[in-house]
Amino acid sequence: MMMRLLLFTLLYSVFLFLGCKTTQETASTMIEAEFDHRMLDTLMVVASKEDPKYDVPDYRASATRKHDLLHTRLDVKFDWAKQYVLGLATLQLKPLFYATDSLILDAKVFDIHSVQVDGKELSYDYDQYKLRIDLGKTYTREDLIEIEINYTAKPNEGPSGGSQAITSDKGLFFINPTRENKFKPQQIWTQGETENSSRWFPTIDKPNERCTQEVYITVEDRFQTLSNGLLLNSTKNNDGTRTDYWKQEKPHAPYLFMLGIGEYAIVKDTWKDMELMYYVEPEYEAHAKSIFNHTPEMLTFFSGILDYPYPWDKYAQIVCRDYVSGAMENTGAVVFGDFVQQTTRELLDGNNDDIVAHEMFHHWFGDLVTCESWSNLTLNEGFATYSEYLWQEYKYGHEAAERKRIEDLNGYLMTANRGGTRDLIDFEYKDKEDMFDGHSYNKGGLIVHMLRNLVGDEAFYASLNRYLTRNEYTDVEAHELRLAFEDVTGMDLNWFFNQWFFDQGHPILDVSYTYDAQAKAYYIDVEQTQDAEDNVPVFQLPVNAALYYANGDKEYVALEMNQRKQRFTIDLEESKVPEIVVFDGQHDLLAVIREERTYEEYVQLYKLSDEYGDKFKALSNLKGRAAGYEITKLAAQNPSDEMRLIAAQNLVSDKDIPMLRQLALNDSNSKVRVTALKKVKDPELALQVLSSDKSYRVIAEALSIVNDNDPEEAVRQAEILTREYHKPLIGVIGDILASSGDLGHLDYFEENINSVGMYAFFNYMNHFSKLARTAGPDRMLQTAAVLRNVAAEDSNSYFKKYSAANTIKSLMSELDSRKVSDAATTKAINEMSIYLSKVINTSTDERLREAFSEYIEMP
């Protein structure tokens, strides 16, 4: 699953405001942070008159397997009005080892109509979560059991919650089921991770289970369908429906089962002899290959470096409305949130490469070889996160990959700073959903990068191939990864895995450099300062120091840090003295590195180093310094987008305006143009850009600048833009229209509320609320009716529902604060109270009910 933190990162500050759990947005700049990691001294003996009391810590064991699930056959239809799944499941399984006369299946909020073996009814006990079946006789591991269950699944009934990564656990979602919302397509899609496939079919819903599958899907003939495996047959029925038969013959975990149903345009592509399919809404049909750009090339690249061809029988990618996560790696049928669905013009501001790569790499790391428990989640997510680095490195170069690595490092550091650290392989988590965080993803990927640099590229890829081939179509724990690397390299890597996978934290290094001309030596003094006062064991850190010379030469010196404080001595040749030395010269370490340098040294670092991290640090520290001005001007002409972006951020004086204007008008990168435009803040330049630039990102910034200087002109420009496709601009246009104070613009907000994505929704609602609160009671009530529909729509995310409900509440507060008791105001407040109470009382989302608990008892 992609969290890149496209999901669990982007909303951190917003959800802090709302009092909900999520994760901080990944930063794009390097940060330094200090952390307090406490460890219990298990050797301490304390005298006491009373017997000490010990609590056994929770241990999140892998699920005990009593049965081996071999095959699942599903026949499903749908009651759209009730939002039910009408299913017939046939499961083939055997006792794993021990003989048994019973079976326990996961089946959450079902009506069970019958349970049979060979046409014989079986007795069972069902508590709405576990289906306990009396098999009627004892079966041994030599016996095949084929059990048939007729059921109705009710994913919208029963308790519903969610987590940072997956905002709802309903498992199967009906989007606009009664077609009341004319702005939304009608869809059904599933989200099985973590253990929510059992919300729509009975199974053994654990990651260490796996089976083959076949699914018969009956829908109205106007719908397209998607599931795992190949579409083997499609039969039109006499009642206007069609039954599609999908079959996957290779086993995978139940959480990877998927359904996708809707009125899609299917754009087909090929890779070698395999079919690729891109499911998009019809208006995006012409843009589908841009949305999923590089898919064939990625399949070739990943298959090549792993020396393991893509293992599944097709590769489909589908866009789903109101999706509850970023994306999901369902085997051969990847689901993406609708934020990836953009026009080719929109994609000028950034492609979907990272998220497409992430989900594709899961088909080896997660789908082919699956973590046996959620404690081992990083074996799925750490590798998928690192695939983004690998793709960036291959396609766009080392500098682009390093920027990605720094973003991932900062995402992890912010997670650690706010929420503390934990073992990467965590057997003591409070909730399995907590594993989807900056540790499993970001830190896991960074550790894979260190492992690669420790053993070298050839051994790294050979070890990954050994891991995949040895464990294909099975579940694994972290030691199986270690053993694969040890078998290939001949190294004992227990120290590395114990330090990085089975312990917590990261090193914080204070580094200083000294040149001793008399001794012809360079000294590097390093101190690990993380929890030094508690004598926490130090990290063992192999590292390559880089030495840069005035003539452009560079050399690396291998060092090994294994003490709290350590001095490294690098003996120099008589006539060869480095201009600058960098301790972590290849930027391999997952560490906070603090070092003091003069401005002149930063100038040399920028000039001589070819590492993105060094140049970034140099430019950042030279910002506003006379010593760095010439370097900044050079960087503004650098072929690297990243260097020009940092340079544009550093140009601050009036004499820089001509250069910034040129960057704003002519730079090839929209981020650079936006940064330069912000610095110049010239409304005439902004108007020029509005008429010439194709980037929505740049147009949005230009509109904001015009609005700051001439709000009436901004409204005129905004109205011009609304006459054509302008979805990426809805947020900034909303800001402009709200600031105008013209209540006529409330219609715009109401008409476009369904076009705003989850990430932009918070700001959009702020602008909407700002304008609506200036209206009279009747108009406010009209707005509240629109918001009620958003809050009450089951398929909307919790975030959208909360924001809409909270805005209704703010309108009530505004009317109440006016201290006016006329009939219209009283009526509006009362009607809004009824709206809100009905939304809360009918919601199955416990978080929403808790947030507005004062309305639950209202009639």
Side-chain angles (χ1 to χ4, degrees):
M1 172 163 292
M2 173 62 178
M3 245 173 287
R4 192 182 148 208
L5 308 196
L6 242 171
L7 243 225
F8 83 0
T9 58
L10 290 177
L11 295 174
Y12 188 85
S13 58
V14 173
F15 272 90
L16 283 179
F17 172 79
L18 297 179
C20 304
K21 295 189 336 185
T22 189
T23 306
Q24 172 66 28
E25 177 178 359
T26 301
S28 61
T29 57
M30 298 167 71
I31 62 170
E32 295 182 348
E34 297 206 37
F35 310 96
D36 186 20
H37 312 150
R38 304 291 177 182
M39 293 182 65
L40 293 177
D41 183 354
T42 57
L43 298 179
M44 183 178 293
V45 178
V46 180
S48 174
K49 293 182 180 180
E50 299 180 1
D51 291 334
K53 295 181 179 179
Y54 298 102
D55 292 325
V56 177
D58 290 332
Y59 173 68
R60 302 300 184 179
S62 300
T64 300
R65 298 185 64 215
K66 295 183 178 180
H67 293 86
D68 184 9
L69 182 61
L70 302 174
H71 184 71
T72 298
R73 180 187 185 277
L74 301 174
D75 190 332
V76 292
K77 303 174 184 178
F78 306 95
D79 184 328
W80 288 85
K82 294 181 179 178
Q83 300 183 56
Y84 287 173
V85 180
L86 313 177
L88 180 66
T90 305
L91 309 183
Q92 293 179 353
L93 43 87
K94 291 183 174 182
L96 185 68
F97 187 84
Y98 300 104
T100 183
D101 60 2
S102 63
L103 170 66
I104 299 177
L105 297 175
D106 297 294
K108 299 168 184 168
V109 195
F110 286 14
D111 288 338
I112 303 296
H113 306 305
S114 67
V115 180
Q116 297 182 343
V117 168
D118 296 329
K120 178 184 177 182
E121 292 285 341
L122 299 180
S123 61
Y124 60 87
D125 179 65
Y126 180 54
D127 65 0
Q128 291 293 296
Y129 291 92
K130 297 287 186 182
L131 177 61
R132 294 171 173 84
I133 302 169
D134 182 349
L135 295 173
K137 69 174 187 177
T138 299
Y139 291 85
T140 73
R141 60 182 179 272
E142 304 300 326
D143 298 321
L144 177 67
I145 308 169
E146 184 169 288
I147 190 162
E148 185 179 274
I149 303 168
N150 191 312
Y151 67 94
T152 297
K154 301 182 287 186
N156 275 318
E157 298 184 16
S160 177
S163 65
Q164 298 174 4
I166 306 163
T167 60
S168 178
D169 59 6
K170 292 194 294 188
L172 183 142
F173 298 78
F174 288 83
I175 306 302
N176 197 20
T178 58
R179 307 176 77 178
E180 290 181 0
N181 190 335
K182 64 181 180 180
F183 300 103
K184 243 182 209 181
Q186 193 176 17
Q187 295 177 353
I188 294 173
W189 47 261
T190 60
Q191 170 54 43
E193 195 173 35
T194 48
E195 297 174 8
N196 300 317
S197 285
S198 51
R199 292 294 295 264
W200 66 277
F201 68 94
T203 188
I204 301 173
D205 207 352
K206 298 296 178 184
N208 61 351
E209 193 58 71
R210 61 185 56 241
C211 66
T212 55
Q213 73 175 80
E214 50 188 328
V215 185
Y216 293 82
I217 310 169
T218 299
V219 293
E220 292 179 53
D221 195 32
R222 62 190 172 91
F223 289 122
Q224 303 287 353
T225 72
L226 177 64
S227 190
N228 316 92
L230 296 177
L231 179 61
L232 298 185
N233 190 32
S234 188
T235 304
K236 291 192 177 184
N237 305 313
N238 294 330
D239 60 356
T241 66
R242 189 186 74 253
T243 301
D244 290 346
Y245 171 42
W246 294 84
K247 185 175 183 180
Q248 178 161 295
E249 296 182 343
K250 295 178 180 180
H252 64 160
Y255 77 85
L256 297 167
F257 279 44
M258 77 82 64
L259 297 180
I261 297 166
E263 294 183 272
Y264 285 101
I266 304 176
V267 177
K268 295 189 176 181
D269 204 347
T270 57
W271 176 71
K272 297 187 176 181
D273 295 328
M274 188 179 74
E275 186 173 55
L276 308 179
M277 295 183 287
Y278 312 137
Y279 284 62
V280 295
E281 293 173 28
E283 65 180 290
Y284 291 93
E285 182 174 7
H287 309 285
K289 289 188 178 181
S290 297
I291 292 168
F292 299 114
N293 196 14
H294 303 133
T295 295
E297 187 178 358
M298 283 184 188
L299 285 165
T300 299
F301 171 62
F302 290 140
S303 295
I305 62 173
L306 296 172
D307 193 23
Y308 193 117
Y310 174 78
W312 307 97
D313 44 19
K314 76 159 189 308
Y315 198 72
Q317 297 170 103
I318 185 171
V319 178
C320 294
R321 282 292 186 101
D322 298 323
Y323 186 55
V324 294
S325 189
M328 181 63 204
E329 65 273 15
N330 309 301
T331 311
V334 179
V335 171
F336 292 89
D338 60 7
F339 60 89
V340 306
Q341 190 168 246
Q342 302 175 71
T343 65
T344 303
R345 180 180 172 184
E346 286 177 85
L347 291 165
L348 293 172
D349 289 325
N351 57 43
N352 294 318
D353 277 14
D354 282 349
I355 194 168
V356 172
H358 184 111
E359 304 308 323
M360 184 183 292
F361 210 62
H362 267 309
H363 283 71
W364 288 270
F365 296 88
D367 297 5
L368 177 68
V369 179
T370 310
C371 63
E372 72 172 25
S373 69
W374 302 117
S375 298
N376 289 275
L377 179 64
T378 196
L379 297 178
N380 293 7
E381 298 299 348
F383 276 101
T385 300
Y386 190 56
S387 74
E388 301 169 43
Y389 180 99
L390 293 173
W391 172 255
Q392 290 287 333
E393 183 180 49
Y394 160 77
K395 187 66 178 177
Y396 305 108
H398 178 69
E399 195 167 88
E402 275 298 291
R403 176 176 171 81
K404 178 69 179 64
R405 186 189 65 82
I406 291 169
E407 288 179 347
D408 286 344
L409 175 61
N410 285 314
Y412 159 68
L413 291 175
M414 283 188 281
T415 296
N417 195 25
R418 288 183 168 90
T421 63
R422 62 167 178 82
D423 296 351
L424 187 63
I425 305 296
D426 190 354
F427 293 106
E428 297 179 5
Y429 60 75
K430 291 182 179 179
D431 189 298
K432 60 185 182 298
E433 308 300 332
D434 297 339
M435 293 298 296
F436 293 79
D437 66 357
H439 290 77
S440 295
Y441 286 75
N442 300 43
K443 186 177 184 181
L446 294 163
I447 289 170
V448 171
H449 182 67
M450 287 193 294
L451 186 56
R452 173 188 174 187
N453 287 287
L454 175 66
V455 303
D457 276 13
E458 186 177 359
F460 176 72
Y461 291 117
S463 299
L464 294 187
N465 178 267
R466 175 71 64 92
Y467 172 72
L468 293 173
T469 54
R470 177 183 289 170
N471 300 296
E472 59 187 4
Y473 306 107
T474 69
D475 53 277
V476 292
E477 57 179 297
H479 288 298
E480 286 162 291
L481 178 67
R482 174 180 60 82
L483 291 171
F485 271 82
E486 290 184 343
D487 287 348
V488 169
T489 65
M491 300 178 182
D492 184 326
L493 293 172
N494 272 293
W495 71 268
F496 184 92
F497 277 74
N498 287 341
Q499 174 175 282
W500 290 113
F501 283 86
F502 296 103
D503 209 341
Q504 61 183 335
H506 54 272
I508 301 174
L509 308 177
D510 286 343
V511 182
S512 61
Y513 304 93
T514 307
Y515 169 57
D516 188 332
Q518 185 174 0
K520 299 183 180 61
Y522 221 108
Y523 303 124
I524 306 177
D525 291 288
V526 187
E527 180 179 2
Q528 298 192 30
T529 62
Q530 71 281 353
D531 295 320
E533 70 276 12
D534 287 342
N535 199 31
V536 173
V538 300
F539 284 82
Q540 182 178 341
L541 303 173
V543 67
N544 291 307
L547 282 63
Y548 293 95
Y549 298 93
N551 65 357
D553 288 348
K554 174 180 66 175
E555 65 176 309
Y556 291 109
V557 178
L559 306 174
E560 177 87 19
M561 185 171 194
N562 52 24
Q563 301 172 33
R564 176 71 66 180
K565 293 183 180 181
Q566 204 161 345
R567 165 167 281 198
F568 299 97
T569 301
I570 301 174
D571 295 319
L572 305 172
E573 296 179 17
E574 180 76 31
S575 59
K576 199 172 183 183
V577 178
E579 291 288 314
I580 199 82
V581 175
V582 180
F583 173 65
D584 182 15
Q586 294 178 312
H587 300 276
D588 297 336
L589 297 181
L590 193 174
V592 174
I593 300 177
R594 304 183 294 207
E595 49 191 10
E596 294 294 329
R597 297 189 187 274
T598 65
Y599 295 126
E600 289 73 19
E601 287 174 328
Y602 280 123
V603 169
Q604 293 301 314
L605 184 63
Y606 179 85
K607 287 181 175 179
L608 297 174
S609 174
D610 55 1
E611 286 287 333
Y612 169 75
D614 290 336
K615 289 181 178 293
F616 177 88
K617 182 174 284 189
L619 284 174
S620 299
N621 281 278
L622 289 169
K623 182 176 182 179
R625 303 291 176 179
Y629 185 66
E630 292 303 317
I631 292 296
T632 300
K633 288 200 298 181
L634 283 175
Q637 308 303 318
N638 195 296
S640 160
D641 292 346
E642 305 301 338
M643 291 302 110
R644 296 198 311 281
L645 179 61
I646 301 168
Q649 293 166 344
N650 284 5
L651 294 170
V652 292
S653 66
D654 290 342
K655 63 182 178 180
D656 299 328
I657 296 298
M659 184 180 296
L660 287 166
R661 290 180 68 90
Q662 286 301 311
L663 290 173
L665 289 170
N666 300 318
D667 197 273
S668 60
N669 184 276
S670 62
K671 289 182 181 178
V672 177
R673 299 201 299 278
V674 165
T675 301
L677 199 58
K678 283 182 178 179
K679 291 296 185 71
V680 177
K681 291 184 178 178
D682 180 356
E684 294 301 320
L685 177 62
L687 284 170
Q688 184 179 348
V689 164
L690 277 175
S691 65
S692 62
D693 207 299
K694 296 298 183 183
S695 162
Y696 287 113
R697 174 186 286 148
V698 177
I699 290 173
E701 182 59 36
L703 268 178
S704 294
I705 292 171
V706 172
N707 190 48
D708 289 341
N709 291 270
D710 187 347
E712 289 186 6
E713 177 62 21
V715 170
R716 192 179 76 82
Q717 292 291 336
E719 289 175 342
I720 292 171
L721 289 165
T722 59
R723 296 169 192 164
E724 57 185 28
Y725 181 86
H726 68 286
K727 186 176 177 180
L729 301 173
I730 287 175
V732 67
I733 289 175
D735 184 13
I736 291 167
L737 299 183
S739 298
S740 74
D742 183 348
L743 293 176
H745 293 312
L746 282 173
D747 292 340
Y748 176 85
F749 284 97
E750 293 168 0
E751 291 166 3
N752 286 279
I753 196 167
N754 289 285
S755 298
V756 183
M758 184 168 68
Y759 307 124
F761 201 76
F762 178 76
N763 283 334
Y764 187 79
M765 292 305 298
N766 271 345
H767 301 321
F768 194 175
S769 177
K770 174 183 175 181
L771 186 59
R773 287 198 306 268
T774 66
D778 290 342
R779 190 63 183 83
M780 272 199 210
L781 187 57
Q782 180 181 325
T783 294
V786 173
L787 296 171
R788 172 196 58 189
N789 293 336
V790 175
E793 190 170 331
D794 283 328
S795 63
N796 275 334
S797 68
Y798 162 70
F799 181 67
K800 281 190 172 183
K801 290 187 285 188
Y802 177 94
S803 297
N806 201 50
T807 304
I808 295 175
K809 189 175 177 181
S810 75
L811 296 179
M812 293 168 59
S813 297
E814 170 62 30
L815 288 175
D816 188 58
S817 70
R818 294 179 185 179
K819 306 298 182 185
V820 178
S821 57
D822 64 280
T825 300
T826 302
K827 176 188 175 184
I829 292 175
N830 289 338
E831 287 293 314
M832 289 183 202
S833 296
I834 294 171
Y835 289 169
L836 200 53
S837 64
K838 285 183 178 179
V839 166
I840 305 310
N841 276 297
T842 57
S843 175
T844 60
D845 195 311
E846 293 298 322
R847 296 164 299 175
L848 199 67
R849 293 171 64 83
E850 182 179 353
F852 299 93
S853 58
E854 68 265 36
Y855 294 96
I856 290 177
E857 299 304 322
M858 293 180 64

